[in-house]
Amino acid sequence: MSDEIAIVGAGIVGLAIAFHLQRDGNRVRLIERGGVAEGASFGNAGAFAFTDILPLASPGILRKAPKWLMDPLGPLAIPPACLPNIAPWLLRFWRASLPDRYRHSMEVQGRLMAYAADSMTTMVAEAGLADHVRSNGNLELYESEAELAASMAGWQARERAGIGFEHVRGARLAELQPGLSPRFVAGTFTPGWKSVADPYLFALALFDAVMQRGGAIARGEVVAVEPAGEGVTLRLADGTTLAARQAVIAGGAWSRPLAKRLGDAIPLETERGYNTTLPPGAFDLKRQVTFGGHGFVVTPLSTGIRVGGAVELGGLKLPPNFARSAAMLTKAAAFLPGLRTDGGKQWIGFRPSLPDSLPAIGASRASPRIFYAFGHGHLGLTQSAATGRLVADLATGRTPGIDPSPFRPDRF
Ligand SMILES: Cc1cc2nc3c(=O)[nH]c(=O)nc-3n(C[C@H](O)[C@H](O)[C@H](O)COP(=O)(O)OP(=O)(O)OC[C@H]3O[C@@H](n4cnc5c(N)ncnc54)[C@H](O)[C@@H]3O)c2cc1C
């Protein structure tokens, strides 16, 4: 039997798991059917959103959803052909947003985020990634005092969780981000929010660190992960097999069929997101800026200015609708007068999302040697190091640093 631990998927989550398993002295092999970090981890907004503890499944989203759905290119879309498939997930999402469950998810998310910040700091230092990280915070913007007032319950919840922030107006707002449209009358600055210079380059640097520590990678599509005696067998689409001591399924939005073959029906869907990356210098952006009422952010990267977000519950197969990228860019040009919108590259990414806004991290039903680590939705980059640490604890039988039970894959 091989003494390796196999990790299906070389996105940011699989890479962070590999790094943490190596810290414990394990040999690891990533198995990736495409390029390293070319899934959702390639083109996301690059935020370590440690202060973002409010679950998406919330009473607030349910209030906003009808208005958002009216706009075909707005922040939330459900292509009609996809409605029957997504309906069970939506029902679970609605249940997760009921007050008791919402409060529970927020508490759990708060603990996971504190662990995520600590784990990321350690991983960044040990893997030599400090040059990729920027500590310039996030500025959320409001078009009216009423919009700010409507967000207050969320800020109070963050205050209770010990998260620092500052509501700003006038000169302070202009100092944090000069050149904003006057339609924005107020903002909230969260200094504890960090960003990476570019999420793809960050993931590649982590991959290099894993390879330097003796990691291996196999190219191919895993079609089944099966218990086999004291170990695990992975079957690839080309007919070959790989043997491992343990396996972790970290295939992002594509993980569901592998779990299903192991007897776990996990309600994983994808929230498709879109963006446009403009050339560097398209705007003098001081930090990531969030237009919460419009469901998108603008991020300064070393590789350009990225404008994007939105949620399209459109499954894995529907062709991309890049009119969504264009719609957000048009709005961004109005919100940041002078933004140069030419020369951009459009992108679609598949967020791996569970209905209660929490990831699935834990052992499969079929074998204590096969683990799941997927479903991080909007927060996979932020929570990657924490997930790696938790998986390493579970794989070695150590008591994890935080209670893993809220992330149990069989909780649904
Ligand atoms: C527009 C947008 C903005 C975002 N912004 C942020 C942000 O600012 N901060 C943040 O924290 N998160 C953000 N996210 C979310 C984040 O990108 C994801 O949560 C994260 O990248 C998920 O990482 P992953 O490794 O699980 O999945 P992925 O990066 O998708 O990686 C999964 C990998 O597994 C491989 N794979 C799948 N199945 C198989 C198989 N059977 N065999 C072999 N290989 C397989 C795939 O090819 C892929 O490379 C954003 C997402 C989008 C779409």
Side-chain angles (χ1 to χ4, degrees), residues 8-14 31-33 39-41 44-47 220-222 250-252 254 258 273-274 347 349 351-352 376-382:
V8 181
I12 193 66
V13 172
I31 305 155
E32 171 56 59
R33 63 174 177 207
S41 304
N44 61 53
E221 173 161 11
V222 176
W254 298 273
L258 292 176
Y274 290 87
W347 180 76
R351 299 184 189 93
H376 298 77
H378 295 237
L379 297 166
L381 171 63
T382 308

Side-chain angles (χ1 to χ4, degrees), residues 46-53 113 192-194 288 378-379 381-382:
F48 290 159
F50 301 127
T51 60
D52 196 0
I53 62 166
M113 283 303 197
W193 182 289
K194 297 184 183 182
Q288 188 172 73
H378 295 237
L379 297 166
L381 171 63
T382 308

Side-chain angles (χ1 to χ4, degrees), residues 223-227 235 255-264 366 372:
V223 292
V225 184
E226 296 163 355
R235 298 192 186 284
S255 303
R256 188 173 177 159
L258 292 176
K260 195 162 179 217
R261 283 189 70 120
L262 289 158
D264 290 301
Y372 302 131

Side-chain angles (χ1 to χ4, degrees), residues 29-368:
R29 180 176 299 269
L30 292 150
I31 305 155
E32 171 56 59
R33 63 174 177 207
V36 169
E38 290 185 0
S41 304
F42 177 83
N44 61 53
F48 290 159
F50 301 127
T51 60
D52 196 0
I53 62 166
L54 304 188
L56 203 67
S58 65
I61 289 286
L62 292 188
R63 270 196 304 276
K64 286 181 194 163
K67 184 178 148 221
W68 282 354
L69 286 167
M70 299 286 278
D71 175 358
L73 295 179
L76 174 65
I78 309 176
C82 301
L83 195 54
N85 274 343
I86 197 76
W89 188 93
L90 285 173
L91 185 63
R92 289 176 191 275
F93 183 89
W94 169 73
R95 278 203 218 112
S97 68
L98 295 175
D100 277 4
R101 297 203 190 182
Y102 172 69
R103 267 194 300 277
H104 168 75
S105 294
M106 187 165 24
E107 277 167 31
V108 172
Q109 195 71 278
R111 286 198 292 275
L112 180 56
M113 283 303 197
Y115 198 57
D118 183 60
S119 307
M120 186 60 80
T121 302
T122 305
M123 185 174 84
V124 161
E126 290 183 3
L129 306 177
D131 288 350
H132 290 259
V133 180
R134 296 167 170 184
S135 303
N136 45 7
N138 176 279
L139 180 64
E140 170 132 21
L141 294 168
Y142 312 100
E143 288 170 89
S144 65
E145 290 295 336
E147 191 185 351
L148 171 60
S151 73
M152 242 6 137
W155 292 112
Q156 284 157 3
R158 289 183 182 95
E159 193 166 22
R160 285 193 295 276
I163 291 167
F165 57 84
E166 180 192 357
H167 297 307
V168 294
R169 294 177 181 77
R172 177 70 174 136
L173 178 59
E175 178 199 349
L176 287 165
Q177 182 53 59
L180 288 171
S181 159
R183 68 195 284 159
F184 296 104
V185 298
T188 307
F189 177 51
T190 38
W193 182 289
K194 297 184 183 182
S195 296
V196 291
D198 180 286
Y200 180 52
L201 300 182
F202 179 76
L204 288 186
L206 182 56
F207 174 67
D208 285 347
V210 169
M211 290 299 121
Q212 276 161 20
R213 286 162 171 73
I217 183 160
R219 304 288 177 168
E221 173 161 11
V222 176
V223 292
V225 184
E226 296 163 355
E230 295 295 293
V232 177
T233 297
L234 295 101
R235 298 192 186 284
L236 274 70
D238 65 4
T240 57
T241 58
L242 284 170
R245 176 160 54 87
Q246 290 165 301
V248 187
I249 297 174
W254 298 273
S255 303
R256 188 173 177 159
L258 292 176
K260 195 162 179 217
R261 283 189 70 120
L262 289 158
D264 290 301
I266 302 179
L268 180 73
E269 288 290 345
T270 183
E271 292 179 67
R272 296 150 53 119
Y274 290 87
N275 60 35
T276 305
T277 306
L278 301 168
F283 194 82
D284 185 14
L285 200 63
K286 302 295 183 197
R287 63 199 78 253
Q288 188 172 73
V289 169
T290 299
F291 302 107
H294 299 269
F296 74 96
V297 300
V298 183
T299 313
L301 302 172
S302 59
T303 45
I305 299 284
R306 185 161 288 164
V307 179
V311 167
E312 182 185 54
L313 296 169
L316 293 167
K317 295 199 179 116
L318 200 73
N321 177 3
F322 285 114
R324 296 197 179 288
S325 300
M328 287 182 276
L329 190 57
T330 302
K331 281 188 178 177
F335 299 168
L336 303 170
L339 176 74
R340 286 196 293 283
T341 56
D342 51 317
K345 284 199 189 104
Q346 296 174 325
W347 180 76
I348 180 173
F350 296 86
R351 299 184 189 93
S353 296
L354 289 163
D356 58 1
S357 312
L358 298 173
I361 305 170
S364 65
R365 205 178 291 263
S367 167

